[in-house]
Amino acid sequence: MTGIASFKRHLVQLLAALLYNLNFKGFATGTIYQGNLKGVCVPGLNCYSCPGAIGACPIGSLQAALLASEQRLPFYIVGTILAFGALLGRTVCGWLCPFGLVQDLLDKVPLPKIRKGTWSRVLSWGKYLVLAGLVIAAPLVLLFTSGIKTPVFCAWLCPAGTLEAGIPLVAANSNLHIMLGALFNWKVASLVALVLVALFVYRPFCRFLCPLGALYSFFNRFAFLRYHVDKEKCIGCDTCLGICKVDIRQVSDRECIQCGNCTSHCESKAINFTLHDMLAKKDTVFPKGKEG
């Protein structure tokens, strides 16, 4: 991706992170916003307990809904995820996820990088195991076997939650220090390990562990806003596959995070964003100055 295009994407990522976390007062006071907006999900992985968060995380909300499913079916959260998926697919991963931005910035540190290969394609299935195991199965097993309501992914693994919520809340509230224990230490250690890996491997959490990316990947091929290849212009050079840092087999497959890096390397200009094509068609139907 050219420098200007990359800057624009990172700017959008930063703006999304700011919009998700407009409760700036919370960072100073170490408190969590509890207003009405907290009932609304944001598209990206952004912890509900982050002091700045004004909305809810889709994965956290899904787990909470599953744990309350004996009382009501989680129609709202399922519908929200379906809507985000159908509209954006993994464009959320490439453009609207704060933790994706963190990993993108870590990738820019000038250190040797480990290229993708068979090993990474195999590990890419890990996020589906996390989705099925830690997000869905484990909370329900604990609920029905012991009555314990635990959002397992959020409580035991989520690095975004540790970075955005756990560490800031502990730093701002000295009274929480006595509650720290093995679980907090494990989550901090996991975050540190992931950060270290991200210095050498592009977006390891997104590619191998993120359950939200796994959910959105099911919609990626037919999402309303996505990159696609014009088959009439494509010359089959596969430059897009070679330049891509994630394990795609074709543009907009389940692994594509819709970053757009491939567009600037496509000599035949065959890769476009669907919104770009819609605007182009509008100009064709209504030439400039002749609308209506």
Side-chain angles (χ1 to χ4, degrees):
M1 181 181 279
T2 63
I4 295 177
S6 179
F7 174 78
K8 288 180 179 179
R9 185 169 72 88
H10 294 328
L11 181 60
V12 172
Q13 290 173 300
L14 179 60
L15 290 174
L18 290 174
L19 287 173
Y20 296 168
N21 297 286
L22 287 174
N23 183 41
F24 303 129
K25 179 181 177 182
F27 289 107
T29 60
T31 56
I32 300 173
Y33 170 74
Q34 299 287 350
N36 292 333
L37 287 175
K38 264 299 175 64
V40 179
C41 287
V42 299
L45 196 73
N46 195 75
C47 187
Y48 178 99
S49 297
C50 174
I54 61 169
C57 171
I59 291 296
S61 297
L62 177 60
Q63 290 184 104
L66 288 172
L67 292 172
S69 59
E70 76 275 9
Q71 296 158 350
R72 63 184 183 278
L73 292 175
F75 289 124
Y76 163 71
I77 182 58
V78 171
T80 298
I81 291 173
L82 288 173
F84 285 146
L87 177 63
L88 298 165
R90 294 199 72 182
T91 299
V92 174
C93 304
W95 293 78
L96 301 174
C97 184
F99 201 66
L101 173 61
V102 170
Q103 292 173 92
D104 280 343
L105 296 178
L106 289 171
D107 183 65
K108 293 184 180 298
V109 177
L111 290 169
K113 306 301 178 183
I114 302 174
R115 290 184 59 81
K116 65 184 181 181
T118 302
W119 68 273
S120 56
R121 284 194 292 273
V122 172
L123 290 180
S124 69
W125 291 100
K127 57 183 170 291
Y128 299 99
L129 295 178
V130 172
L131 173 62
L134 295 185
V135 175
I136 298 174
L140 292 177
V141 169
L142 284 175
L143 175 64
F144 292 116
T145 59
S146 59
I148 299 174
K149 294 186 176 183
T150 301
V152 175
F153 172 75
C154 297
W156 294 357
L157 180 61
C158 184
T162 305
L163 180 64
E164 297 173 355
I167 293 175
L169 288 174
V170 168
N173 294 281
S174 57
N175 59 313
L176 294 178
H177 294 180
I178 60 172
M179 301 173 62
L180 301 182
L183 180 57
F184 183 77
N185 292 337
W186 154 255
K187 292 194 68 177
V188 171
S190 300
L191 173 63
V192 171
L194 189 64
V195 167
L196 291 175
V197 173
L199 292 172
F200 304 96
V201 177
Y202 183 66
R203 283 198 177 211
F205 178 72
C206 300
R207 294 165 64 192
F208 310 140
L209 295 171
C210 182
L212 188 58
L215 275 173
Y216 288 149
S217 74
F218 297 125
F219 302 89
N220 221 24
R221 289 180 185 271
F222 53 84
F224 184 66
L225 298 177
R226 60 183 171 83
Y227 285 93
H228 73 99
V229 178
D230 185 333
K231 298 297 177 63
E232 294 183 1
K233 293 182 179 180
C234 179
I235 59 176
C237 65
D238 287 344
T239 298
C240 53
L241 305 186
I243 201 67
C244 185
K245 293 183 178 182
V246 300
D247 299 281
I248 66 168
R249 295 183 182 275
Q250 59 180 310
V251 174
S252 287
D253 68 5
R254 64 180 180 84
E255 291 303 313
C256 179
I257 60 170
Q258 308 289 349
C259 69
N261 185 36
C262 54
T263 59
S264 60
H265 294 87
C266 180
E267 294 184 5
S268 59
K269 306 299 180 185
I271 305 173
N272 287 307
F273 199 60
T274 50
L275 185 60
H276 173 275
D277 280 0
M278 285 188 288
L279 292 175
K281 289 178 181 178
K282 177 181 179 295
D283 289 339
T284 300
V285 176
F286 299 110
K288 195 170 183 180
K290 297 182 179 181
E291 286 86 346

